[in-house]
Amino acid sequence: LKKFKEFPKKERKKMRDFLTANYHTHTVRCRHAYDPEREYIETAIKMGIKKLGFSDHIPCPFTDGYVSGIRMTMEQAPEYVSTIRTLAEEYKDDIKIFVGFEAEYIPAFHEKQMAMFRKLGCDYLIMGQHFLNSEETGPYTGTPTEDESRIREYADSVIEGMKTGHFKYLAHPDLINYQGLDSVYDWEMTRLCKALKEMDIPLEINILGISEKKHYPTEKFWRIPAEIGNKVILGLDAHCAKQLANVECYKKAVELADKYNLNLIDELPGM
């Protein structure tokens, strides 16, 4: 199967009815997802997905006894990885399965998280910068704001994190919900997109955002990578098995890519 970008955009939808690789999949350990891993895998196989990556929210090494309500604990991480590895072996003739994490870049946590990542032999990280600091102190980047410092810090954090070379792509880059001046939004997001283009790091059109009618994907963002030429990948961000079969919202994501003639890729290099 050739890459989307090798075809005229009018021909993309004729190639297939659904994507063949998804690297953004969660599990019940994050406390806001549902269904056993096996159900995700069997749904993916039925949909023709050839490569499925589990990227549940990375645990954080909190030192003050704080327990997150939106991610697994550090102690749960080995069981998470071993469960996925066992299933990957069981289904190896039907689908290629990867295991990793969706992670914020939080300097205070990153070194310990990477040590855990390496010890467990994980495959990949994607960045989902939900918070600018620890979730204990916030702020959540999806909260509406007119504070220019918030979007500036978001761009700075993403760029700094990507420079580590540890992340495969940026999930929902338009999660930042800045409601202030258009000129400020354009400046900061252009700065972010140019930096990631230089590092050859794809941006994700988040399909869950479409299905749940979130403030992302937003066209005011996607016209920027259209001009800059960033690579773009689709991510289901599945929190239940049925979301791995969301053809309707997948097609809406492709329509967005078509509208701006985005540089859409099918899969991550080397995976």
Side-chain angles (χ1 to χ4, degrees):
L1 181 66
K2 295 183 178 180
K3 303 296 185 189
F4 272 138
K5 63 182 180 180
E6 296 174 3
F7 287 78
K9 66 179 182 179
K10 291 183 179 179
E11 298 299 314
R12 292 176 182 170
K13 295 177 186 177
K14 298 179 182 179
M15 293 169 59
R16 62 174 186 242
D17 294 325
F18 205 55
L19 79 179
T20 57
N22 175 63
Y23 304 95
H24 198 164
T25 314
H26 294 275
T27 77
V28 295
R29 296 168 191 81
C30 72
R31 308 186 188 196
H32 58 281
Y34 308 90
D35 299 327
E37 294 89 348
R38 185 181 300 277
E39 191 167 339
Y40 283 86
I41 293 166
E42 293 185 355
T43 301
I45 292 169
K46 290 176 184 178
M47 294 305 299
I49 295 174
K50 303 301 182 184
K51 297 180 178 182
L52 181 65
F54 284 89
S55 52
D56 212 348
H57 294 283
I58 197 165
C60 293
F62 300 110
T63 59
D64 60 357
Y66 175 81
V67 178
S68 173
I70 57 170
R71 64 184 76 236
M72 71 181 78
T73 65
M74 296 290 283
E75 292 73 22
Q76 286 178 295
E79 183 272 335
Y80 162 67
V81 174
S82 65
T83 296
I84 303 304
R85 292 295 190 209
T86 298
L87 289 166
E89 177 64 22
E90 179 180 344
Y91 286 93
K92 66 182 180 180
D93 293 334
D94 300 303
I95 192 169
K96 179 69 174 177
I97 297 173
F98 302 94
V99 61
F101 293 100
E102 179 186 15
E104 296 81 8
Y105 175 67
I106 309 296
F109 296 152
H110 190 65
E111 184 176 342
K112 288 185 178 180
Q113 288 172 329
M114 288 307 302
M116 176 198 68
F117 176 91
R118 296 185 183 104
K119 182 178 180 179
L120 295 176
C122 298
D123 299 313
Y124 72 111
L125 290 174
I126 60 176
M127 183 188 291
Q129 198 70 2
H130 305 93
F131 300 94
L132 298 178
N133 298 293
S134 166
E135 70 188 65
E136 289 184 85
T137 58
Y140 173 58
T141 53
T143 302
T145 181
E146 295 185 5
D147 185 350
E148 293 182 18
S149 68
R150 189 82 59 85
I151 189 172
R152 187 175 304 114
E153 187 176 357
Y154 176 80
D156 287 343
S157 297
V158 169
I159 294 168
E160 181 182 353
M162 289 303 184
K163 284 181 178 179
T164 66
H166 295 157
F167 299 93
K168 289 290 188 179
Y169 74 70
L170 177 59
H172 39 62
D174 41 355
L175 173 62
I176 184 69
N177 197 1
Y178 176 71
Q179 299 291 318
L181 295 172
D182 288 343
S183 58
V184 172
Y185 185 91
D186 291 348
W187 176 271
E188 296 298 340
M189 293 297 95
T190 296
R191 182 166 68 90
L192 183 151
C193 289
K194 284 183 176 179
L196 269 60
K197 172 70 160 54
E198 186 174 342
M199 290 184 271
D200 197 29
I201 294 171
L203 306 169
E204 178 202 72
I205 296 178
N206 188 274
I207 295 174
L208 181 66
I210 295 173
S211 67
E212 296 191 349
K213 296 180 172 59
K214 296 180 182 289
H215 65 276
Y216 60 89
T218 175
E219 294 195 19
K220 73 175 181 177
F221 174 82
W222 288 104
R223 58 184 176 77
I224 296 172
E227 295 176 1
I228 293 170
N230 297 81
K231 290 180 180 177
V232 175
I233 193 165
L234 304 182
L236 288 166
D237 196 0
H239 284 71
C240 63
K242 70 178 182 180
Q243 290 172 344
L244 287 170
N246 196 336
V247 175
E248 180 182 353
C249 289
Y250 161 78
K251 289 181 177 179
K252 290 180 180 179
V254 174
E255 288 171 2
L256 176 62
D258 285 346
K259 180 174 182 177
Y260 290 98
N261 198 25
L262 295 170
N263 185 12
L264 202 59
I265 62 172
D266 282 338
E267 58 187 47
L268 293 171
M271 293 184 67

